[in-house]
Every structure is written in structure tokens, then in C-alpha cells.
Amino acid sequence: MRFSSLLRAMALAGAFIGAPVLAADSSKPLPAIGDFFNNPEFSDAVLSPSGKYLAVRLGNKSKRDMLGVVELGTNAVKVVGNFSDADIGRYAWVNDQRLVFTATDKDLAPGDMRYAPGLYAINRDGTGFRQLAMRNGKAFVTSGSTLGSRELLPWHTYLLGQDGAQDSDFIYVQDRDISGPGELNHVDLLRLNTVTGRTSVSVKRPGASHYWLLDHKGEPRLTITADKGSSSVYYRDPATNEWRKLTDFDRFTGSGGTFRPLAFGPDGTLYVLSREPKGDTTAVFTYDLNTAKLSSKPLVKLDGYDFHGQLIMGKDKLLGVQHLTDAMGTTWLDPDMKAMQAKIDAMLPNTINLLTLPTHPESPWIMVTAFADIWPKRIMLYNSETQKLTMVGESHPGINPNQMAHKELVRYKSRDGLTIPAWLTLPQGPGKQLPMVVLVHGGPWVRGGSWNWDPDAQFLASRGYAVLEPEFRGSTGYGSRLFRAGWKQWGLKMQDDVADATRWAIDKGYADSKRICIAGASYGGYATLMGLINDPDLYKCGVEWAGVTDINLMYDGSWFYTSDMSEDWKQYGMPQMIGDQVKDAAQLKATSPLEQASRIKQPLLMAYGTADMRVPLPHGTKFYKAVKQTNPNVEWIEYDEEGHGWKLPKNRIDFWGRVEKFLDKNIGTPQ
């Protein structure tokens, strides 16, 4: 079977690879909702350690996803893994001959799923299949497995997510001790032989380990433990195999401590994240394990951004650093890789192009992941000998970049003088006095966005709306000052930041002040409701899904519904970062949308998943009952099988179709 005949996405001609972005053609129909919200047609691929083979997930809308292996020298493809009742989930190379993978079901939403993905191994030629761990909490043995059910690892066995040495049949896997939703007690590390299925606990925990880090030889060398509200970093000395504590920090706020671990280098160097003295953002330092000291200067420092990314190792040295500023990018330390990046960028001038190298290269193949604000992710292969690119697959081939909107990182001043980043997406056209959707990210202790193709914002822009996404205080990735300024500011200064962003867009002429809607999910849903309450003159309507409607419900709801928020988070994290139920009782009441539902007079669209354990359904039903008493313009959507967000394409398409009609009715689409 040939490469191009099996992978429809790979059959796309290489002529499209460097195609220029042309002027928009207004005569073309709008892209369909499904083009944005169907599952990606091609999501990922993984090079083997030698780079001679490529593992890919194969499938389409009507068939189960399979695991295939491409021999890159001949382009021959072989299906090596498939289920009759499930899809291929995660997968990874054990070595150049063998892979491990899990099962999932793309047709099930969280309400119908039990996250016990099983674990399987197989050779790249389709031989040597073995089930290693139970699936769905029972001793389910897939047809063809050579291992008896009594010998299977328990359902709570998961892949570690780190490659390891990739030079034997062994990998390290996690045995996660879980006592309930959101309650992870500890993680044991098991050394697993993927051929025999036998395991051993070769490393004893120094405490309740939640995270493990392998060293440059693929051996467990570092762990982070949790104890109530505190975390500790331990290092296992290779000379004695004894653990020693390196630093402590606050488990939920991240405060305190000397550093956070990042990676081990090929020479055993420990790279860590830390702040310079009096510094605001995190940078990459080396940490001397003998003297317990950081390097005097950072190896990588990003102006205005906390470091987020990874170190790229190869040739027994550090080759480069992949990092996130406004967008992902790579700084190469190796001159040959720097030259290769320049060649590929010249071939793909319209996209950011991230290179992935084999861990033990024996071939000329490099994987390229290309994307832009207007261009969904594409995966290609670059041959360093022929200097040619080959298309592997596209995530959303129905999207025409010529119809997409450009996205820009802007900054504005809050009313108390803090500089706030925000993402501005303007539809094609003049870009002035537009109807606008202020899209508030969830979390809230996350970074909201980056410079890439985002289906939510692009769909709204394709319908003529400007989209503004503020990185309000409490957001991460832009330094400690912005993050810490959001503590205990739900409904207060965090909300002011969203309103200030909206007024900035009006002042700049981007938004029509009479046609602005606020929207968001989870915390963004909470901010939507508080925006309608605090700033009724600013927002003409609201769209919220999976939104928190009362902070006290987050604390107290467990007696009548199941939540996946841990008791430690409620005891040690929430009082510091959101508010203490006793000490801040008056504030929590004053910033509760549920307590102030009667103040919302604007049209409102609400949507919840019945199976949501992060923001359980009573958040929605209680608020809907309260707001309907004084507001007739409230629409309710309930997806029975969904959790915290919409997993199934049919529900994403249904939801955004309703959003489109709601916005068109209330703030209008320009003609």
C-alpha cells in the first residue's frame, strides 16, 4: 500500500506548500460552520527515533481512527493498530521498531466516557501486538493480544508523555492513585517492558509525587511532590540513588521557591525556570546541582513574556530553544539548524514553521509544523538532502486562508495604569465601526491566546464581527505583576480590565459602541454575566457557556453534585486567589451573578453540558431560573452528554450556529 493512496491529506500536491496569500474574493460564499468546528482531518504525526519512519493517525468521519506507519524512504504505508469499537488515542515510539498507543472514542462526549484508555504495544510491521493495561476499568482484552487479563496493568495506567531513551523495549508509565474526580493522591512510576508486559517499581517516591522528569538517559531523575498547599522539588542523585530536596513553592499560586524544573541536557545539566532578582518574567537558567545555585545570567530571556517552550536537543548538545512570545518561534544555537530554518522559511514565507528533529537521526527527514493567524496547522516533511518539502496533512483543509482575518496583539492601559495585552481580530474590509464580540478567556489563571489560527475568533470574524480578547489581570504568561494583580479580583478589577479593553476598541474606532456583545466560557462565562451587570451601557447582549454563576457554589456544591475540583484547591488555592468564604463573604456576595440576576436586562444566550464536573449544571439551572423572572430574552441550551465545553462536532456546530443567529438578531451583521 502506498503512502499517497492511503492518506488523502498527503495526496495534496506540494505546489500548495508555498502558495501566496491572495486578496480576498468577496464573491465566494462564507465558509461553512463545519469548516471551523469539525474535528481536524489531520492532527499529528510522530517521527521515529531514527527519522526513517513516520507514525500517523489515519481515518475519516465515517471510520475509526487507525495507527499507520510510513516508511519514508519508499513512502510505503502499513496500518499497524486499529480497534473495531474505539479510535487510536495517544501514541509514541518506544524505539525505532516498536510503538505504544491508547484507545479513545471520538464519537463519545464526556458524559458517556470513562477515561481509562488502556495501553497497547505493537511493532512497526504489525507484529508483536500486546495489550498492556486494562481499558474502561475492566480486564478488556483486545482480540489478538497475547497477554492474559490477569496480567494486565490496572486501568489507571497512563503514558508518561516523555520519550525516554528510546533504545530498548522499556518505557516508563504512570500509575495514578485517584480517589475521586479531581483527587489525584500520587503518581508512581513503573518501568514497563512493552514486549513482555512486565513492570517494576524501580524508583521509590520521596513523597506524594505528582510529576516526574526523566534525565538525558531516560531515567527518572527529578520529581515534584504535593503536600496540602505546598510543592517540593526533589532530585535523585545518580551516585547514591537517594533523594534530596532542592526547593519548595506554593502549590497553587506558584509563589516562593528558587525555580521550576524544565529539562535535563545531554550532558546532565539541569535547565530551570526562574525570575531574575527583582524581575517580573521567568527566564531559563542552568542550575548547579553540586552548589545548589542558579547561573548568574539567564540562558533565554523573553522581553515581556514568561518563558514557555522547550529545549531542542541533538548531536549530544543543546541545538536551540522553542519559545512563545506573541507566537511560537525558535532560536537556534546550532548554525546548521539556523541555516536550515532559513531555507524552510524562504519556502514557506507566509507561516511560522516549527521543526521537529528525530532523537537519533539516521535519515534526512525533518518534520515541519506550519501555521499562521489565517492558516490552520499543516504538517510537512523536509528532506535535508534534496531540500524539498512534502505535504503530510492539513488540520482544516476546508479553510481558505484568503477568507480569514488577521490577528494582532495590542496593548491598552487599564484605569489604574496597568498595561494589558489583548488579541484583536478584524474581519476583512475597512475595519472601522464594526459590531464587536468581546471574547473573555476561561481559566482564569491561564494565557488566553497566541498568534495562530483560532476557530472561535475566525468564525466570528468570517461573519463580520471584530473580536477582542483581553489578557486581563490574572492571566499568565506576561509576568508576575499582571498575574498577581488578579488575585481576589473576580468581578472587580479583572472585570474592569475587560470593560477598559472594550472602551479602548471604541476609542480607536474599531467597534461600534451600540453593537457590542460580551461572550465567554467557564470563567469567561462568569465575566460575561458580570459584564452585563456592571456595564449595562457597554454590552447589548451576552453569550455564556459553562459559566460560573456563583463563587460559593464552587465551594459548597459537592453535597448535591459531583465536582472535579480537589479539596486541596478549595482549602489552599481558592481562598488565596479567588476569595475566602468567611473573610471575604461580603465581596463574594457582591460579585455573585446569581445574587444579582435581576439586574441583567440584555438578551442572553446560555449553554451548559449536563455532564460538566468543572462547572456543574446547577450553576446554569439556578441562574436561568433566577434571570428568567425579570428577563424574557434569555435562551437556554443544554447538551445532555457534554462536559466542560463541547467535544462532539455536532454540538459545536449546533452551538455556534445558534450564536450566529443570536448575534445577528441583537447586534447585527454588516452587509
Side-chain angles (χ1 to χ4, degrees), residues 394-601:
E394 301 179 77
S395 64
H396 293 79
I399 292 294
N400 178 357
N402 299 317
Q403 292 182 290
M404 296 295 102
H406 286 292
K407 180 178 183 179
E408 179 186 3
L409 183 63
V410 298
R411 286 179 168 82
Y412 64 96
K413 286 284 188 180
S414 68
R415 65 192 66 181
D416 62 356
L418 198 61
T419 299
I420 311 287
W423 297 97
L424 179 65
T425 304
L426 296 177
Q428 295 187 13
K432 293 293 184 180
Q433 299 297 316
L434 297 168
M436 185 172 77
V437 177
V438 180
L439 196 57
V440 187
H441 72 70
W445 323 111
V446 298
R447 174 169 164 160
S450 64
W451 193 83
N452 58 10
W453 185 83
D454 175 72
D456 296 3
Q458 288 291 345
F459 171 70
L460 292 170
S462 75
R463 270 50 183 174
Y465 297 100
V467 182
L468 184 65
E469 301 171 84
E471 299 275 18
F472 46 85
R473 69 190 69 203
S475 300
T476 60
Y478 301 95
S480 176
R481 184 184 178 200
L482 184 70
F483 169 53
R484 294 177 68 94
W487 294 6
K488 290 193 176 184
Q489 293 300 313
W490 283 44
L492 301 172
K493 291 184 179 180
M494 292 169 75
Q495 199 67 44
D496 291 343
D497 290 346
V498 176
D500 292 345
T502 308
R503 293 190 173 96
W504 171 88
I506 295 171
D507 291 343
K508 291 290 184 180
Y510 298 122
D512 179 346
S513 63
K514 295 181 175 61
R515 295 193 295 167
I516 299 175
C517 190
I518 185 170
S522 194
Y523 171 83
Y526 168 89
T528 294
L529 299 175
M530 287 304 301
L532 297 175
I533 292 167
N534 287 1
D535 298 285
D537 61 320
L538 205 53
Y539 305 115
K540 307 309 175 188
C541 59
V543 179
E544 73 93 354
W545 60 108
V548 172
T549 63
D550 182 77
I551 294 170
N552 281 315
L553 269 178
M554 297 167 67
Y555 278 105
D556 299 336
S558 59
W559 67 271
F560 67 93
Y561 61 73
T562 301
S563 169
D564 66 359
M565 289 190 295
S566 72
E567 292 304 314
D568 280 354
W569 164 238
K570 293 179 184 178
Q571 184 175 353
Y572 302 105
M574 285 177 60
Q576 290 188 77
M577 301 182 72
I578 301 176
D580 186 284
Q581 271 194 297
V582 177
K583 296 177 182 178
D584 303 310
Q587 176 180 317
L588 298 189
K589 182 170 182 160
T591 55
S592 165
L594 184 59
E595 294 280 349
Q596 305 172 80
S598 63
R599 293 176 58 188
I600 295 180
K601 307 300 183 184

Side-chain angles (χ1 to χ4, degrees), residues 185-208:
N185 300 318
H186 62 261
V187 177
D188 281 312
L189 211 57
L190 304 178
R191 189 169 186 261
L192 168 64
N193 186 313
T194 61
V195 173
T196 67
R198 306 302 180 193
T199 62
S200 61
V201 182
S202 58
V203 180
K204 293 184 178 180
R205 296 179 281 106

Side-chain angles (χ1 to χ4, degrees), residues 157-348:
T157 304
Y158 300 94
L159 289 172
L160 180 61
Q162 299 177 44
D163 286 336
Q166 295 184 314
D167 59 0
S168 73
D169 291 324
F170 288 88
I171 60 172
Y172 282 98
V173 295
Q174 305 177 64
D175 180 10
R176 299 169 69 88
D177 183 62
I178 303 168
S179 57
E183 299 291 348
L184 174 63
N185 300 318
H186 62 261
V187 177
D188 281 312
L189 211 57
L190 304 178
R191 189 169 186 261
L192 168 64
N193 186 313
T194 61
V195 173
T196 67
R198 306 302 180 193
T199 62
S200 61
V201 182
S202 58
V203 180
K204 293 184 178 180
R205 296 179 281 106
S209 292
H210 280 220
Y211 170 80
W212 294 85
L213 181 64
L214 306 183
D215 66 11
H216 58 296
K217 295 180 180 179
E219 291 301 313
R221 192 60 56 202
L222 186 146
T223 189
I224 299 178
T225 63
D227 182 18
K228 298 179 180 178
S230 178
S231 289
S232 301
V233 180
Y234 286 88
Y235 171 73
R236 188 169 67 100
D237 192 319
T240 64
N241 280 334
E242 296 295 325
W243 291 103
R244 74 171 186 264
K245 186 188 292 188
L246 302 181
T247 190
D248 297 301
F249 58 91
D250 188 283
R251 181 177 169 191
F252 296 107
T253 69
S255 302
T258 309
F259 66 85
R260 309 291 178 272
L262 178 61
F264 283 96
D267 59 354
T269 298
L270 176 59
Y271 295 90
V272 302
L273 300 181
S274 186
R275 301 184 196 278
E276 291 180 296
K278 299 182 180 179
D280 184 48
T281 57
T282 57
V284 179
F285 292 79
T286 59
Y287 181 81
D288 191 316
L289 290 160
N290 295 317
T291 64
K293 291 183 179 179
L294 295 171
S295 54
S296 58
K297 294 183 179 180
L299 174 70
V300 181
K301 181 175 170 53
L302 307 173
D303 187 22
Y305 300 91
D306 292 311
F307 180 86
H308 177 79
Q310 60 182 345
L311 306 182
I312 304 172
M313 312 291 185
K315 304 177 184 177
D316 294 323
K317 64 179 182 179
L318 178 62
L319 297 177
V321 182
Q322 191 177 100
H323 46 68
L324 178 63
T325 52
D326 57 337
M328 289 300 298
T330 307
T331 298
W332 292 106
L333 307 177
D334 182 81
D336 292 338
M337 290 306 305
K338 188 174 183 179
M340 182 185 295
Q341 181 79 59
K343 288 180 181 177
I344 293 172
D345 287 345
M347 299 170 73
L348 301 170

Side-chain angles (χ1 to χ4, degrees), residues 109-167:
D112 299 320
M113 291 184 70
R114 299 293 179 268
Y115 187 60
L119 188 62
Y120 307 84
I122 198 163
N123 294 331
R124 61 174 171 79
D125 63 0
T127 63
F129 175 71
R130 182 177 290 273
Q131 184 173 2
L132 302 167
M134 293 182 186
R135 180 176 141 205
N136 295 332
K138 60 185 178 181
F140 177 89
V141 181
T142 301
S143 176
S145 176
T146 59
L147 191 64
S149 62
R150 294 181 182 178
E151 298 174 277
L152 290 175
L153 293 170
W155 65 267
H156 44 81
T157 304
Y158 300 94
L159 289 172
L160 180 61
Q162 299 177 44
D163 286 336
Q166 295 184 314
D167 59 0

